[in-house]
Amino acid sequence: MALMLLAAIAVPVYFRGVAHAEGPWRTVIAPFTAAALLAVAIFLVVSKVGLFTMASATVNTVLIALVPAVFLAGLALAQRLKTRRPEVYARFAAEPAPAEHVEHVEHEEGEESQ
């Protein structure tokens, strides 16, 4: 749910920076509504985690802390890749090859094998 919350926040941030033809419902209202509802759901799950697990407070604390810890570790890894291996980092959000290029390559490979 935390990743869905981040995605709901990222939608209006993305659309604010690019030109688009979408209306405010899809780019602002719905994502912010989803983010608010997801935040409430996360709060309820975290506050009632003991009912879900029936475990000790220590186990529940570890389970709750695990999500932000992994998120922060991912951010640290991304920052490390950005500074030490920028070519790998640059491919994270790279667009895939156009479909006609892929079909052209597959067609050429099929002709060579015949």
Side-chain angles (χ1 to χ4, degrees), residues 33 36 45 95 101 112:
T33 303
V45 168
E95 293 289 327
H101 175 70
E112 291 173 5

Side-chain angles (χ1 to χ4, degrees), residues 12 19 21 24 37 47 54-55 61 72 111:
L37 293 173
S47 67
M54 300 301 284
T61 302
L72 292 174
E111 289 176 354

Side-chain angles (χ1 to χ4, degrees), residues 20-47:
H20 60 85
E22 298 294 332
W25 175 254
R26 288 186 176 185
T27 59
V28 179
I29 299 167
F32 277 133
T33 303
L37 293 173
L38 282 164
V40 169
I42 290 170
F43 171 77
L44 290 172
V45 168
V46 169
S47 67

Side-chain angles (χ1 to χ4, degrees), residues 57-111:
T58 303
V59 170
N60 291 337
T61 302
V62 169
L63 289 173
I64 292 169
L66 197 58
V67 172
V70 170
F71 178 73
L72 292 174
L75 287 178
L77 176 62
Q79 186 61 38
R80 182 176 175 199
L81 283 173
K82 186 177 182 179
T83 57
R84 294 187 182 178
R85 297 180 62 196
E87 70 283 353
V88 173
Y89 182 82
R91 288 195 315 255
F92 280 172
E95 293 289 327
E100 59 272 355
H101 175 70
V102 173
E103 292 171 6
H104 180 68
V105 171
E106 290 174 355
H107 182 67
E108 286 178 357
E109 289 175 357
E111 289 176 354

